[in-house]
């Protein structure tokens, strides 16, 4: 056998360290930039092996601990002798450059020495739980160099930053390198960067912008100030990109925003001639967009802007309403109603205009949608010259939908307008009032064949249904359907007459049967109809009973139309009149002259109605009857005579009856419906909750009814009291503010 | 006309044993002699044909007690008796009341009145008495409300001495307003709560958003307008 013994000579510590020193010295010379060739692999191996041997020798010659210490001391020595002196003699930018150089060198030194001493890393440090060589090296620099200089360095950096802010060119790469030191020296943590540099930088930036802001806010207009702010923020972001650590961005931006935009928000937005209000007034869309962009990123920053927006729109709306109100009081009645129509148009335009703002300037932000909505809700519920907005809107629709309406528009324009009107309805709280006015006017259009276009009629009902639900439009739809059915029914009636010639009344008769629930309620009087008409009624009744037996027909003569042939001296003229007017005129077929009282008795009408009728026939444009005395108004002592001398160039004339003011009745009907609605809501709520506090009941009631109207709190209370009397509810015995449902 | 048929029979029967049987279970045991005197007193004022003390009888009683006919103490007496019909006392009610008051003679009854008043005015009893006063005025079968004029009188009697100002103002208001022709129990009790809970005439605690009856909301509004 071959015994193989490797004899290693024991290296003595001093001896070994002397050898290592040569390597260290060489390294230093390289770092100092002195002429020195690089380490070759043999040198490297030798150095490495020396360490290896000294660590693996048997005790007492295993020098791991000593070598570990000497490793650290090598750095300390170098730093004290060379690095620190070099740094201490320099200042400002020069110091920064030196520091960058020295740090770079140090890293190289650590890299090389730790390679030489690598064996320590493998076993020794783990066994003794000591910091690894890399860390030891960096810690030396931190403790000896960084700790002494970081404050000075920070000041120098900040000075350069401020110089750049003032417009001077600086060496950005240098700053980046310097700040990288702060990061790296943290050895995985950002603490050093944050505490030793960033916090100071942020304070400095804040005070820099605070100074700037305080002078700009005095001198600059709002748009200019915003432009500057935008520019500053842009520059600061660039700064971060170029040399600050990325984590500084949000903090720096926040500080800048705070000083420029938050601190002076009020002064900026409220600037008298250039602030938010003025920008809105002058339609400065770009500036407003900028304002949005700037304040969007600030917590609650948009609220004051939205508020000013809301106030502005409200003021504009109120001005329109006031204008209409003023015009109405200064002019005669009929031009006033035209003004009201103009108002609706203008409100629509206002809405279109500011919706564009909401969508474009304010990027569809909910805060601005809300502001617009609330603004419109304020002025859209104001009364103009005694008409509620609900009525105005209904009249506006009527004008668009009726024949010969005030608006001459293309189909597309009509569709568009109807769409917008329905949208406006959302802002009106008395939707049920609108529905009732609309229904009344729809009835008139349908019954007197004044509807311009069936498609438009149906189209708006569809839109209303979409916006307000099926219940809102169900009656109206029923009305439209009734008309269609009525036409069919008329055909059957004519067929019936054809088959029963004896039943024929001898007068062309068209009857429209309405389903009671759908149509507005109409008063029907027991007017004494002329015999011819009575026959018509009988005949139709006969026909109707062949179709259905279980329905009751109630005749609404006030809605009828009659075509009479007036046999005047000059020429016959066809008169298109209401049934009531016809009834009056037909009396003169048998008698030439009749007193007011005669007519009253014969027809069995009220004074109010009769005066209206006689006025339309004797004191208005077409004088079919001669009144004695020929004063301008009808009085109960007058007498009337057929005016055979009457003539007109037309062959057929319409003699209109002035429309009865339906407003009062509509309001009454709606109030009545509201009482039922409130009752129903209260009962519904109490039935499900059984016991409920007063305020909660009221608020739930309001909420349930809000889709159709805003109930008066007093009205709710009154209904509650009524329900108590009717034993639906009772007050709790212990707590007078609580109510119980009585089953 | 409410009187128990048992009581009416009792008049002709010998009073002693059966009446004591009837009343022995009561909280204040009347002796048979006391009950005799109570019945005797009853008969002095009762209408012999109806066997009730009717309005005439009550008037006489009042004059004998030297208490005005419209005095609150008569109402309190009615309350004590749990009398059901205004203007009439049945024998049962009479017995109930006088037995409770331990009054079997007219002078004892007269002396008992101040004590009765004290008892009624105790907070724990007054609310009950107040409600009773309302019910007492409901004369018709299904009646639930009382006309304004009667209410005004009733308020004066029942609350006049303790809440003079509130009663005067409220009565004035009720007379000039047009919204209400009658007052129901809920509104009646509301006024009681109003007097007890709301300082007058400041009325700072009054909140119309709470469940106060609407008539009181309007009343408070009317006063505020008057004061303005």
């Amino acid at each position: 056998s071959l015994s193989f013994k490797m004899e290693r000579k024991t290296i003595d510590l001093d001896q070994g360290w002397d050898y290592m020193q040569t390597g260290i010295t060489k390294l230093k010379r390289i770092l100092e930039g002195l002429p020195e060739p690089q380490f070759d692999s043999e040198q490297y191996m030798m150095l490495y092996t020396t360490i290896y041997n000294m660590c693996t020798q048997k005790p007492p010659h295993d020098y791991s601990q000593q070598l570990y210490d000497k490793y650290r001391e090598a750095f300390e020595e170098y730093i004290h002798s060379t690095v620190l002196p070099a740094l201490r003699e320099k200042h400002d930018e020069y110091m920064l450059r030196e520091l960058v150089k020295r740090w770079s060198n140090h890293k190289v030194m650590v890299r090389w020495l730790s390679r030489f001493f690598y064996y320590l890393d493998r076993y020794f440090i783990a066994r003794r739980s000591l910091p690894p060589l890399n860390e030891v090296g960096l810690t030396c620099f931190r403790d000896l160099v960084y700790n002494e200089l970081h404050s000075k360095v920070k000041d120098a950096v900040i000075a350069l930053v401020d110089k750049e802010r003032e417009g001077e060119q600086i060496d950005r790469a240098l700053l980046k390198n310097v700040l990288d030191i702060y990061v790296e020296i943290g050895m995985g943590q950002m603490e050093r960067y944050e505490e030793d540099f960033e916090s100071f930088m942020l304070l400095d930036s804040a005070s820099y912008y605070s100074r700037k802001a305080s002078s700009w806010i005095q001198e600059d207009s709002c748009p200019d100030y915003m432009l500057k702010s935008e520019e500053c923020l842009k520059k600061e972001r660039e700064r971060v990109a170029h040399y600050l650590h990325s984590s500084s961005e949000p903090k720096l931006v926040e500080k800048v925003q705070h000083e420029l935009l938050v601190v002076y928000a009020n002064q900026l937005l409220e600037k008298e001639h250039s602030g938010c209000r003025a920008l809105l007034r002058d339609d400065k869309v770009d500036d407003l967009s900028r304002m949005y962009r700037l304040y969007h990123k600030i917590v609650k920053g948009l609220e004051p802007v939205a508020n000013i927006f809301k106030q502005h729109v409200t003021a504009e709306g109120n001005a329109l309403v006031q204008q209409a109100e003023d015009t109405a009081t200064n002019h005669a009645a009929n031009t006033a109603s035209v003004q009201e129509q103009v108002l609706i148009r203008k409100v629509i335009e206002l809405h279109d205009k500011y919706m564009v703002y909401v969508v474009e300037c304010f990027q569809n932000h909910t805060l601005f949608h809300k502001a617009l909505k609330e603004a419109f809700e304020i002025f859209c519920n104001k009364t103009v010259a005694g008409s509620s907005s609900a009525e105005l809107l209904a009249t506006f629709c009527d004008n668009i939908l009726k024949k010969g309406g005030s608006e001459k528009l293309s189909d597309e324009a009509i569709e568009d307008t109807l769409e917008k009107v329905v949208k406006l309805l959302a802002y009106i709280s008395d939707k049920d009032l609108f529905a009732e006015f609309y229904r009344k006017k729809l009835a008139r259009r349908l019954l007197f064949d004044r509807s311009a276009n069936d498609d438009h009629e149906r189209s708006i009902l569809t839109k209303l249904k979409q916006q307000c639900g099926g219940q809102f439009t169900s009656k109206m739809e029923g009305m439209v359907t009734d008309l269609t059915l009525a036409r069919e029914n008329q055909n059957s009636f004519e067929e019936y007459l054809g088959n029963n010639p004896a039943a024929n009344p001898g007068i062309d008769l068209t009857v429209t049967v309405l389903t009671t629930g759908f149509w507005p309620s109409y008063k029907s009087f027991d007017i004494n109809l002329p015999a011819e008409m009575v026959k018509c009624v009988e005949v139709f009744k006969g026909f109707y009973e062949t179709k259905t037996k279980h329905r009751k027909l109630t005749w609404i003569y006030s809605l009828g139309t009659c075509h009479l042939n007036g046999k005047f001296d000059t020429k016959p003229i066809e008169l298109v009149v209401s049934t009531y007017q016809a009834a009056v005129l037909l009396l003169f077929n048998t008698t030439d002259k009749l007193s007011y009282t005669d007519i009253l008795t014969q027809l069995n009408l009220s004074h109010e109605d009769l005066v209206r009728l006689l006025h339309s026939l004797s004191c208005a444009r077409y004088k079919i009857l001669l009144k004695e005395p020929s004063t301008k108004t009808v009085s109960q002592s007058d007498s009337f005579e057929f005016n055979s001398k009457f003539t007109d160039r037309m062959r057929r004339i319409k003699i209109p009856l002035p429309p009865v003011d339906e407003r009062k009745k509509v309001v009454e009907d709606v109030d009545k419906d509201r009482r039922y609605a409130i009752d129903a809501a209260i009962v519904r709520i109490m039935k499900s909750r059984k016991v409920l506090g007063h305020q909660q009941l009221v608020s739930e009631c309001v909420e349930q009814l809000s889709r159709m109207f805003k109930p008066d709190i007093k009205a709710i209370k009154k209904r509650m009291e009524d329900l108590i009397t009717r034993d639906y509810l009772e007050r709790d015995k212990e707590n007078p503010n609580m109510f119980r449902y009585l089953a | 006309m409410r009187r128990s048929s048992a009581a009416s029979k009792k008049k002709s029967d010998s009073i002693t044993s059966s009446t004591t049987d009837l009343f022995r279970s009561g909280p204040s045991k009347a002796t048979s002699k006391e009950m005799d005197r109570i019945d005797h007193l009853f008969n002095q004022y009762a209408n012999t044909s109806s066997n009730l003390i009717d309005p005439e009888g009550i008037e006489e009683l009042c004059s004998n007690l030297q208490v005005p006919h419209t005095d609150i103490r008569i109402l309190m007496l009615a309350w004590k008796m749990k009398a059901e019909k205004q203007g009439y006392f049945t024998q049962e009610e009479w017995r109930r009341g006088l037995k409770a008051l331990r009054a079997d003679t007219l002078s004892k009854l007269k002396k008992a009145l101040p004590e009765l008043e004290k008892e009624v005015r105790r907070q724990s009893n007054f609310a009950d008495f107040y409600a009773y006063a309302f019910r007492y005025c409901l004369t018709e079968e299904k009646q639930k409300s009382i006309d304004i004029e009667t209410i005004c009188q009733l308020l004066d009697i029942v609350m006049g001495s303790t809440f003079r100002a509130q009663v005067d103002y409220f009565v004035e208001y009720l007379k000039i307003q047009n919204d209400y022709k009658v007052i129901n129990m809920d509104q009646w009790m509301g006024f009681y709560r109003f007097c007890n809970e709301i300082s007058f005439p400041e009325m700072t605690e009054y909140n119309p958003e709470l469940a106060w009856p609407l008539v009181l909301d309007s009343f408070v509004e009317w006063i505020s307008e008057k004061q303005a």
Side-chain angles (χ1 to χ4, degrees):
Chain A
S1 63
L2 216 57
S3 62
F4 201 90
K5 221 165 154 186
M6 185 74 167
E7 281 263 3
R8 232 170 58 186
K9 247 187 79 191
T10 310
I11 309 173
D12 176 48
L13 179 60
D14 289 334
Q15 199 188 342
W17 187 248
D18 279 348
Y19 182 70
M20 292 310 296
Q21 267 307 118
T22 61
I24 293 171
T25 307
K26 181 182 170 71
L27 180 56
K28 285 190 214 173
R29 284 176 60 84
I30 294 172
L31 292 176
E32 290 294 322
L34 297 169
E36 183 71 45
Q38 291 291 326
F39 286 96
D40 62 37
S41 42
E42 203 190 312
Q43 288 166 312
Y44 171 74
M45 273 310 296
M46 284 302 295
L47 291 162
Y48 178 88
T49 312
T50 308
I51 296 294
Y52 175 84
N53 288 339
M54 286 202 276
C55 290
T56 52
Q57 286 167 171
K58 290 204 169 36
H61 302 294
D62 58 339
Y63 296 118
S64 297
Q65 180 66 57
Q66 294 91 320
L67 289 172
Y68 185 76
D69 293 335
K70 280 196 182 303
Y71 167 81
R72 194 190 63 253
E73 283 158 17
F75 289 107
E76 287 169 356
E77 190 278 318
Y78 182 59
I79 287 172
H80 280 302
S81 66
T82 315
V83 177
L84 279 173
L87 285 167
R88 282 175 186 148
E89 71 185 14
K90 299 197 172 62
H91 305 283
D92 308 317
E93 205 171 321
Y94 300 102
M95 174 197 47
L96 296 180
R97 284 190 201 288
E98 189 64 32
L99 178 65
V100 169
K101 187 181 107 181
R102 291 290 165 188
W103 170 248
S104 176
N105 282 356
H106 185 79
K107 283 191 283 188
V108 169
M109 190 170 170
V110 171
R111 202 179 318 133
W112 279 98
L113 286 189
S114 62
R115 278 181 197 163
F116 300 156
F117 286 72
Y118 178 62
Y119 193 73
L120 288 172
D121 260 346
R122 286 210 65 187
Y123 294 108
F124 179 68
I125 62 149
R127 238 187 292 137
R128 303 281 182 96
S129 300
L130 292 165
L133 296 178
N134 191 57
E135 196 182 315
V136 172
L138 294 183
T139 311
C140 280
F141 192 90
R142 184 193 69 196
D143 294 345
L144 298 173
V145 180
Y146 177 84
N147 282 351
E148 182 178 310
L149 292 172
H150 70 78
S151 188
K152 256 180 94 186
V153 170
K154 168 261 295 174
D155 290 337
V157 171
I158 288 178
L160 285 171
V161 168
D162 282 342
K163 223 167 135 191
E164 192 184 41
R165 284 179 176 146
E166 287 299 308
E168 291 189 46
Q169 287 260 36
I170 62 167
D171 186 345
R172 288 172 151 178
L174 172 63
L175 288 192
K176 178 150 183 37
N177 289 329
V178 171
L179 293 175
D180 280 346
I181 298 175
Y182 284 83
V183 177
E184 286 168 53
I185 217 89
M187 290 191 270
Q189 303 293 331
M190 285 299 286
E191 263 172 8
R192 302 270 57 80
Y193 174 81
E194 285 170 7
E195 285 174 28
D196 300 335
F197 170 73
E198 194 189 53
S199 58
F200 295 97
M201 181 274 294
L202 290 174
L203 272 171
D204 173 78
S205 304
S207 90
Y208 177 84
Y209 282 107
S210 171
R211 281 192 306 278
K212 290 287 171 187
S214 68
S215 75
W216 290 346
I217 197 72
Q218 305 293 339
E219 298 156 3
D220 294 327
S221 70
C222 172
D224 286 343
Y225 186 98
M226 289 198 294
L227 270 163
K228 283 185 181 164
S229 301
E230 206 174 43
E231 191 59 33
C232 289
L233 284 166
K234 178 160 160 258
K235 287 232 159 69
E236 293 301 325
R237 285 203 175 87
E238 278 172 17
R239 180 156 295 117
V240 173
H242 282 120
Y243 50 83
L244 299 178
H245 190 266
S246 61
S247 65
S248 292
E249 184 170 334
K251 301 175 205 175
L252 180 59
V253 165
E254 193 269 324
K255 280 268 186 266
V256 176
Q257 263 175 192
H258 181 82
E259 295 302 328
L260 288 176
L261 299 170
V262 174
V263 170
Y264 292 103
N266 212 39
Q267 272 167 274
L268 181 65
L269 296 177
E270 300 279 351
K271 253 184 191 274
E272 194 167 341
H273 303 293
S274 64
C276 187
R277 230 168 243 112
L279 295 175
L280 283 166
R281 204 182 50 222
D282 299 335
D283 294 325
K284 299 280 189 213
V285 172
D286 288 336
D287 291 325
L288 288 165
S289 302
R290 178 166 299 111
M291 188 178 277
Y292 176 82
R293 281 198 303 276
L294 288 173
Y295 280 92
H296 175 55
K297 301 189 191 118
I298 295 173
V299 171
K300 296 204 174 173
L302 287 174
E303 276 167 33
V305 182
N307 211 29
I308 295 176
F309 178 66
K310 175 176 159 187
Q311 286 169 15
H312 175 79
V313 175
T314 309
E316 296 269 292
N318 278 337
L320 289 179
V321 169
Q322 188 60 48
Q323 220 175 61
E325 181 81 47
D326 291 339
T327 318
T329 44
N330 294 336
H331 291 70
N334 44 350
T335 51
S337 66
V338 169
Q339 279 309 308
E340 288 150 22
Q341 300 310 297
V342 168
L343 172 63
I344 301 288
R345 265 266 163 248
K346 286 189 179 165
V347 170
I348 291 178
E349 281 164 17
L350 192 74
H351 192 259
D352 287 344
K353 175 176 173 183
Y354 286 105
M355 187 51 95
V356 171
Y357 273 69
V358 172
V359 169
E360 292 182 8
C361 283
F362 303 126
Q363 302 292 307
N364 248 325
H365 195 283
T366 45
L367 215 53
F368 291 88
H369 274 287
K370 184 162 168 264
L372 187 68
K373 171 172 169 285
E374 287 172 4
F376 270 76
E377 279 171 357
I378 292 173
F379 66 80
C380 280
N381 285 300
K382 292 200 162 169
T383 314
V384 177
S387 305
S388 62
S389 52
E391 187 183 348
L392 290 180
L393 209 57
T395 311
F396 186 77
C397 293
D398 189 53
N399 273 326
I400 294 181
L401 294 163
K402 74 180 185 198
K403 287 180 187 166
S406 54
E407 313 257 349
K408 298 254 178 297
L409 300 165
S410 70
D411 275 350
E412 240 179 72
I414 291 182
E415 272 298 299
D416 188 60
T417 308
L418 292 177
E419 181 93 37
K420 298 205 164 126
V421 164
V422 173
K423 289 229 166 68
L424 269 191
L425 185 59
Y427 301 124
I428 291 181
S429 41
D430 290 342
K431 294 180 181 46
D432 57 348
L433 197 58
F434 168 82
E436 194 54 24
F437 276 114
Y438 187 86
R439 206 161 68 109
K440 276 237 137 81
K441 292 174 201 285
L442 174 64
R444 205 172 292 281
R445 288 197 301 276
L446 293 175
L447 294 175
F448 297 110
D449 189 29
R450 290 227 264 271
S451 194
N453 183 316
D454 266 355
D455 291 334
H456 289 315
E457 294 281 0
R458 284 195 188 280
S459 161
I460 189 176
L461 288 182
T462 312
K463 294 186 212 297
L464 286 170
K465 192 168 169 177
Q466 267 172 0
Q467 177 141 315
C468 306
Q471 230 185 352
F472 193 82
T473 51
S474 60
K475 287 184 188 168
M476 300 169 197
E477 286 176 329
M479 285 160 68
V480 175
T481 313
D482 266 359
L483 263 279
T484 316
L485 291 177
R487 272 177 232 129
E488 286 169 23
N489 205 36
Q490 180 66 18
N491 291 336
S492 309
F493 178 56
E494 278 160 22
E495 221 182 279
Y496 168 87
L497 288 178
N499 296 337
N500 296 288
N504 201 311
I507 300 174
D508 286 335
L509 174 67
T510 309
V511 178
T512 310
V513 179
L514 311 176
T515 313
T516 315
F518 296 152
W519 296 77
S521 55
Y522 296 101
K523 291 183 288 186
S524 76
F525 290 116
D526 279 328
I527 181 175
N528 280 339
L529 288 177
E532 306 93 315
M533 294 188 194
V534 174
K535 176 126 207 268
C536 290
V537 170
E538 291 299 324
V539 168
F540 187 81
K541 215 166 138 210
F543 155 74
Y544 197 71
E545 271 158 17
T546 66
K547 301 191 79 203
T548 52
K549 290 241 187 281
H550 303 293
R551 303 225 184 115
K552 177 169 178 254
L553 285 177
T554 306
W555 294 80
I556 318 280
Y557 301 114
S558 55
L559 297 175
T561 312
C562 238
H563 291 238
L564 296 177
N565 282 323
K567 298 194 168 87
F568 302 102
D569 292 345
T570 319
K571 69 171 199 257
I573 297 178
E574 190 182 325
L575 305 171
V576 180
V577 292
S578 74
T579 306
Y580 282 10
Q581 286 166 313
V584 169
L585 290 173
L586 286 169
L587 290 175
F588 291 87
N589 270 351
T590 45
T591 328
D592 288 331
K593 197 164 175 175
L594 286 163
S595 71
Y596 176 94
T597 322
D598 290 335
I599 303 174
L600 185 75
T601 332
Q602 292 214 38
L603 293 182
N604 189 36
L605 286 169
S606 71
H607 285 293
E608 201 185 322
D609 284 322
L610 187 57
V611 166
R612 243 178 91 237
L613 289 169
L614 288 171
H615 190 279
S616 70
L617 297 169
S618 65
C619 305
R621 183 172 169 197
Y622 302 113
K623 295 180 172 47
I624 312 297
L625 297 176
L626 291 167
K627 188 170 82 76
E628 208 182 304
S630 61
T631 50
K632 289 221 168 73
T633 51
V634 174
S635 65
Q636 297 190 18
S637 52
D638 291 343
S639 55
F640 299 85
E641 204 180 331
F642 175 65
N643 182 8
S644 54
K645 303 261 180 293
F646 173 82
T647 194
D648 190 270
R649 65 183 176 89
M650 303 298 276
R651 287 205 161 275
R652 176 206 281 181
I653 54 177
K654 237 185 192 156
I655 306 184
L657 264 178
V660 187
D661 183 14
E662 51 193 17
R663 185 185 302 156
K664 206 169 135 211
K665 179 144 197 303
V666 169
V667 171
E668 267 173 30
D669 286 345
V670 169
D671 278 342
K672 199 160 67 145
D673 287 340
R674 282 181 180 180
R675 265 176 267 145
Y676 292 137
I678 296 175
D679 276 0
I682 294 173
V683 170
R684 209 169 30 241
I685 294 166
M686 290 308 295
K687 197 165 173 184
S688 97
R689 308 292 227 104
K690 305 289 182 227
V691 180
L692 199 56
H694 173 79
Q695 275 144 315
Q696 234 184 314
L697 176 57
V698 169
S699 73
E700 278 191 35
C701 206
V702 168
E703 223 226 283
Q704 272 201 22
L705 297 166
S706 63
R707 294 197 71 208
M708 289 302 277
F709 66 99
K710 207 152 79 168
D712 182 32
I713 305 297
K714 278 201 173 158
I716 297 181
K717 253 201 181 179
K718 194 142 214 273
R719 298 321 307 153
M720 276 173 64
E721 291 192 344
D722 196 64
L723 288 168
I724 291 174
T725 312
R726 283 148 61 197
D727 289 325
Y728 277 88
L729 305 178
E730 68 173 1
R731 205 185 279 266
D732 185 83
K733 307 234 176 351
E734 309 295 310
N735 181 353
N737 268 307
M738 292 284 271
F739 292 91
R740 289 179 181 281
Y741 181 68
L742 293 171
Chain B
M1 299 221 178
R2 276 162 296 265
R3 52 180 179 184
S4 64
S5 47
S8 68
K9 285 210 186 81
K10 258 69 172 187
K11 237 180 69 93
S12 41
D13 291 346
S14 103
I15 285 177
T16 41
S17 55
S18 17
T19 46
T20 46
D21 285 342
L22 197 67
F23 288 104
R24 189 172 297 163
S25 53
S28 48
K29 272 198 284 193
T31 64
S32 55
K33 276 222 155 37
E34 272 179 12
M35 202 44 66
D36 284 347
R37 285 194 285 274
I38 287 175
D39 286 341
H40 178 69
L41 202 55
F42 179 77
N43 292 329
Q44 285 191 305
Y45 297 101
N47 178 317
T48 39
S49 50
S50 60
N51 197 42
L52 298 168
I53 299 180
D54 62 15
E56 255 181 54
I58 291 182
E59 234 187 287
E60 213 192 313
L61 172 68
C62 287
S63 108
N64 289 350
L65 288 172
Q66 292 169 320
V67 167
H69 175 64
T70 50
D71 194 280
I72 191 177
R73 286 169 288 177
I74 297 303
L75 193 52
M76 288 177 175
L77 185 59
W79 173 77
K80 197 69 182 167
M81 291 183 196
K82 298 199 203 310
E84 287 192 31
K85 192 172 157 127
Q86 189 187 43
Y88 294 87
F89 295 146
T90 67
Q91 186 162 26
E92 189 182 329
E93 290 165 355
W94 179 263
R95 282 171 169 178
R96 183 186 295 131
L98 269 69
K99 182 193 71 156
L101 291 173
R102 320 253 24 206
D104 53 4
T105 64
L106 189 67
S107 66
K108 277 199 202 158
L109 181 56
K110 186 163 171 190
K111 288 207 181 83
L113 290 181
E115 198 54 49
L116 172 62
E117 187 168 351
K118 256 213 294 223
E119 182 196 341
V120 171
R121 290 208 183 277
R122 272 207 292 277
Q123 191 76 333
S124 47
N125 286 327
F126 198 79
D128 187 65
F129 170 70
Y130 182 83
Y132 172 82
F134 185 88
R135 286 195 302 274
Y136 193 63
C137 292
L138 297 171
T139 48
E140 305 306 313
E141 175 81 44
K142 291 222 173 114
Q143 191 183 356
K144 286 192 170 165
S145 315
I146 297 175
D147 64 279
I148 294 292
E149 201 182 315
T150 309
I151 287 287
C152 290
Q153 289 169 1
L154 198 60
L155 278 172
D156 190 51
I157 295 175
V158 175
M159 299 280 267
S161 52
T162 37
F163 296 106
R164 184 80 261 153
Q166 286 92 321
V167 168
D168 283 347
Y169 272 91
F170 194 47
V171 161
E172 189 189 333
Y173 173 71
L174 287 176
K175 289 192 171 150
I176 63 162
Q177 57 80 38
N178 291 316
D179 295 324
Y180 297 94
K181 304 251 180 325
V182 293
I183 295 293
N184 64 26
M185 176 63 97
D186 188 62
Q187 290 160 317
W188 173 254
M189 295 311 293
F191 183 71
Y192 179 70
R193 278 190 292 123
F194 177 82
C195 289
N196 280 305
E197 292 172 28
I198 307 292
S199 63
F200 198 81
E202 300 84 12
M203 300 184 297
T204 41
E205 313 90 341
Y206 191 86
N207 180 359
E209 287 185 20
L210 295 177
W212 293 102
L214 203 50
V215 66
L216 290 176
D217 290 347
S218 311
F219 170 55
V220 169
E221 229 178 275
W222 172 80
I223 294 186
S224 312
E225 276 165 27
K226 249 167 92 92
Q227 286 172 343

